[in-house]
Amino acid sequence: AGWKIGAASVVPVGGAATFQDPKSGDPAAVVQPEAGTFVAFDTVCPHQGCVVAYSTQVQRFVCPCHGSQFNGRTGAVLNGPALTGLGRISVKKGPDGQLYVT
């Protein structure tokens, strides 16, 4: 149950795919840090509202505006100026191979 956001197969292991959060309308990303594990975050930086991007090289979300960095598994802030982490979005893989925001 939930809102379908796309096929799990489009999210590479160690990478991310973007989607629009059906609850808030914000840009978001789902990450597969290891095979079969999916985590998702609101990608609006809590510092000043820029949209962060996932870097597969460092497995972090990086803000292009002011350089804040966030953990790719937890969304926690690693480097400021942001003082708080990214908002977590609950996501599950369904038996149909699709990802759902719950």
Side-chain angles (χ1 to χ4, degrees):
W3 292 274
K4 182 167 58 172
I5 58 169
S9 62
V10 303
V11 185
V13 175
T18 60
F19 66 98
Q20 183 177 13
D21 181 359
K23 293 182 180 181
S24 69
D26 284 351
V30 59
V31 178
Q32 187 176 191
E34 58 191 42
T37 300
F38 297 93
V39 292
F41 304 95
D42 186 310
T43 57
V44 175
C45 183
H47 175 239
Q48 288 191 348
C50 294
V51 176
V52 301
Y54 187 74
S55 169
T56 57
Q57 292 175 322
V58 293
Q59 297 185 346
R60 297 179 178 184
F61 288 94
V62 179
C63 181
C65 296
H66 302 106
S68 292
Q69 294 187 23
F70 305 88
N71 183 296
R73 282 182 164 268
T74 66
V77 66
L78 298 171
N79 297 2
L83 299 176
T84 60
L86 300 175
R88 185 85 179 249
I89 298 170
S90 178
V91 66
K92 301 280 184 211
K93 181 179 175 184
D96 59 358
Q98 297 291 313
L99 294 173
Y100 294 86
V101 169
T102 58

